[in-house]
C-alpha cells in the first residue's frame, strides 16, 4: 500500500492534536489540584486571621480593664497619701501642742536669759526697787513667746499657757513653786531670732536695765527642759 503525503500530514496532525489534548487534560488536573490546595490554605489563613482578631479584641478589653484598675489604684494611692499627710500633720500639731503645754520633755538650741537683782543699792534707797519682780520675768517670757519660743522654763520650772507668776517679797512663785534670784529663763527656739528681739533698742533688755535689773543673754546649743509640773508634781 502506498502512503500518500496527505495521509502523513493527517497522521501528524492527529498525533499533535492528541498530545495537546493530553497536555491540556494534565494541566487541567494540576490546576484543579492547585485550586484545591489554595482553597484549603485560604480557609486555614482565614481561621488564623479570625483567631488573631479575636485575640486582639480580647487584648483591647484586657487593656481597658487594666487602665481602669490602674486608675483605681492611683486614686487609692492619692487617698492614702492624703490621709497619711493629714495624720502626719495631726501628729505634728499634737507634738507642738504637747511642747507648748509642757507635757513632754524637749531639747534643742535656744538661749538663757539671767535676771539678777542689782548688785548695788544706794544709801537711803528702797531695796525693793533694785530686785527682780514678777513683771520683769513676765516681760521676758512674753517677748520670747511672741518671737517664737517653742518651750520655756524659769529656774528649771516648765511653764505653759496657764502658768502664773506671783511675787512674794524677795521670792517669786511660779505655778506654786518658790524660786529665788537669780532667775534663769531658758527658751528653746531660734537663738539668733530670740536674741535679736530681746536686744532691740528700747526693747525688753533696755527696759530691764532701766529698772536696775542686771541682764545676761547667752545662746545655748543644747537646752533640755523637763515636762511641766504643778506644785503637787
Amino acid at each position: 500500500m502506498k502512503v500518500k503525503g496527505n495521509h502523513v500530514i493527517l497522521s501528524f496532525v492527529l498525533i499533535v492534536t492528541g498530545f495537546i489534548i493530553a497536555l491540556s487534560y494534565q494541566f487541567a488536573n494540576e490546576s484543579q489540584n492547585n485550586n484545591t490546595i489554595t482553597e484549603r490554605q485560604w480557609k486555614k489563613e482565614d481561621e488564623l486571621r479570625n483567631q488573631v482578631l479575636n485575640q486582639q479584641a480580647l487584648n483591647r478589653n484586657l487593656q481597658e480593664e487594666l487602665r481602669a484598675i490602674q486608675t483605681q489604684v492611683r486614686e487609692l494611692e492619692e487617698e492614702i497619701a492624703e490621709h497619711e499627710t493629714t495624720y502626719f500633720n495631726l501628729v505634728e500639731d499634737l507634738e507642738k501642742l504637747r511642747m507648748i503645754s509642757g507635757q513632754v520633755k524637749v531639747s534643742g538650741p535656744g538661749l538663757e536669759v539671767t535676771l539678777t537683782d542689782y548688785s548695788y543699792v544706794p544709801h537711803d534707797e528702797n531695796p525693793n526697787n533694785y530686785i527682780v519682780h514678777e513683771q520683769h520675768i513676765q516681760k521676758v517670757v512674753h517677748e520670747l513667746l511672741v518671737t517664737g519660743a517653742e518651750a520655756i522654763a524659769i529656774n528649771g520650772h516648765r511653764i505653759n499657757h496657764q502658768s502664773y507668776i506671783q511675787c512674794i517679797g524677795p521670792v517669786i512663785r511660779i505655778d506654786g513653786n518658790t524660786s529665788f534670784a537669780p532667775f534663769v529663763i531658758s527658751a528653746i527656739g531660734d537663738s539668733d531670732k530670740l536674741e535679736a528681739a530681746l536686744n532691740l533698742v528700747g526693747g525688753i533688755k533696755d527696759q530691764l536695765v532701766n529698772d536696775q535689773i542686771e541682764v545676761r543673754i547667752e545662746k545655748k546649743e543644747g537646752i533640755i527642759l523637763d515636762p511641766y509640773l504643778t506644785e503637787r508634781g
Side-chain angles (χ1 to χ4, degrees):
M1 180 177 178
K2 186 178 181 179
V3 179
K4 296 182 178 180
N6 291 334
H7 292 165
V8 173
I9 293 172
L10 180 60
S11 299
F12 180 75
V13 169
L14 291 174
I15 292 172
V16 170
T17 301
F19 177 76
I20 292 172
I21 292 172
L23 186 62
S24 298
Y25 178 78
Q26 183 178 355
F27 283 158
N29 288 336
E30 290 179 356
S31 176
Q32 184 177 1
N33 291 334
N34 289 337
N35 289 338
T36 302
I37 295 174
T38 301
E39 184 177 357
R40 290 177 181 175
Q41 290 177 344
W42 181 86
K43 289 182 178 180
K44 185 64 175 179
E45 291 177 357
D46 187 58
E47 291 177 359
L48 292 174
R49 184 166 46 252
N50 289 334
Q51 291 178 5
V52 170
L53 293 175
N54 292 334
Q55 191 64 42
Q56 289 176 342
L58 179 61
N59 289 341
R60 284 194 297 270
N61 292 335
L62 292 175
Q63 288 175 353
E64 292 177 359
E65 292 180 7
L66 178 60
R67 282 194 292 269
I69 293 173
Q70 289 175 338
T71 301
Q72 294 178 358
V73 170
R74 283 195 299 271
E75 291 175 353
L76 289 174
E77 288 176 344
E78 292 174 358
E79 184 177 353
I80 291 173
E82 184 177 352
H83 287 321
E84 288 180 348
T85 301
T86 301
Y87 295 149
F88 176 79
N89 292 335
L90 288 174
V91 171
E92 193 175 44
D93 292 341
L94 180 59
E95 288 300 317
K96 288 181 179 179
L97 289 174
R98 286 175 175 172
M99 288 177 61
I100 294 173
S101 62
Q103 295 181 15
V104 294
K105 183 178 182 178
V106 294
S107 62
L111 54 74
E112 288 183 351
V113 182
T114 303
L115 305 182
T116 307
D117 297 340
Y118 200 63
S119 58
Y120 173 73
V121 179
H123 185 64
D124 294 334
E125 288 286 341
N126 186 355
N128 199 48
N129 295 330
Y130 294 86
I131 64 175
V132 180
H133 293 285
E134 60 183 87
Q135 65 267 23
H136 299 136
I137 297 176
Q138 287 174 342
K139 284 182 179 180
V140 176
V141 170
H142 178 72
E143 186 66 26
L144 292 173
L145 288 173
V146 170
T147 311
E150 299 173 0
I152 297 176
I154 304 171
N155 282 0
H157 299 293
R158 186 79 172 274
I159 65 172
N160 60 20
H161 63 288
Q162 295 180 332
S163 294
Y164 66 91
I165 303 172
Q166 183 181 12
C167 187
I168 304 176
V171 302
I172 289 179
R173 291 178 66 81
I174 304 165
D175 293 334
N177 299 289
T178 302
S179 191
F180 302 87
F183 299 98
V184 180
I185 303 171
S186 305
I188 292 178
D190 187 332
S191 58
D192 292 332
K193 186 177 179 181
L194 297 175
E195 182 184 40
L198 294 175
N199 285 321
L200 287 173
V201 177
I204 298 302
K205 182 178 179 180
D206 289 347
Q207 295 174 24
L208 295 175
V209 172
N210 290 335
D211 286 345
Q212 314 304 325
I213 302 300
E214 295 182 1
V215 182
R216 185 175 75 254
I217 301 174
E218 185 179 3
K219 294 181 182 179
K220 295 287 186 179
E221 289 296 327
I223 297 177
I224 300 176
L225 302 182
D226 292 323
Y228 169 81
L229 295 175
T230 65
E231 58 182 339
R232 296 184 179 85

